[in-house]
Amino acid sequence: MTYDDNNIFAKILRGELPTKKIYEDEYALAFPDISPQAPVHVLVIPKGKYISATDFGAKASPTEITGFYRALSHVAKLLNVEASGYRIICNAGPDSQQMVPHFHAHILGGRKMGHILAPKD
Ligand code: AMP
């Protein structure tokens, strides 16, 4: 699978779609999820062109990986969910229902969540 330059997050990174920047540095951008599933729901994406967590882990440089993870931790602090707790979700591929093919981490918090997965249908 090749990276699709027209995915929504690629457009946000290029400034072609509006968003409210919560945090940005050389490695990552954080912005609110357009359809929040919790009082705190923020997406953190790497600046590089990676499709999924698998792709990022396999192809990103150690500097990009460290930079991204540091940004993730920093954003969790900015969002003030460290003490109350939060969840990081990275969907990858069809079974996870990943919708946007640019690697992203959801940071969710501000309410009590179910344990890991919703029950099966
Ligand atoms: P995933 O299912 O992990 O690929 O999640 C993609 C997320 O992107 C969903 O939670 C959407 O609500 C969110 N999303 C889609 N378009 C936008 C947008 N323009 N700005 C912010 N979040 C978006």
Side-chain angles (χ1 to χ4, degrees):
M1 193 173 164
T2 51
Y3 181 83
D4 172 12
D5 275 311
N6 286 318
N7 77 72
I8 291 167
F9 296 167
K11 289 181 180 174
I12 286 177
L13 279 173
R14 292 196 296 268
E16 293 166 14
L17 283 179
T19 193
K20 182 179 159 248
K21 281 180 194 174
I22 289 176
Y23 176 74
E24 182 172 22
D25 65 20
E26 193 180 341
Y27 303 105
L29 174 69
F31 53 92
D33 194 293
I34 207 167
S35 173
Q37 304 297 309
V40 172
H41 188 173
V42 167
L43 299 169
V44 186
I45 67 175
K47 293 257 171 111
K49 297 178 178 185
Y50 301 103
I51 298 168
S52 66
T54 319
D55 194 35
F56 186 69
K59 296 185 191 150
S61 68
T63 310
E64 286 176 297
I65 292 171
T66 306
F68 177 75
Y69 208 91
R70 291 230 193 282
L72 199 54
S73 302
H74 183 68
V75 171
K77 274 200 172 80
L78 287 179
L79 296 171
N80 219 11
V81 289
E82 257 196 315
S84 51
Y86 61 98
R87 180 170 294 166
I88 294 172
I89 295 177
C90 299
N91 293 318
D95 275 357
S96 73
Q97 305 211 40
Q98 180 181 2
M99 292 187 299
V100 181
H102 179 109
F103 173 48
H104 52 280
H106 299 250
I107 297 182
L108 295 141
R111 72 166 166 87
K112 195 101 179 155
M113 288 172 265
H115 185 68
I116 310 209
L117 290 174
K120 284 194 247 175
D121 297 329

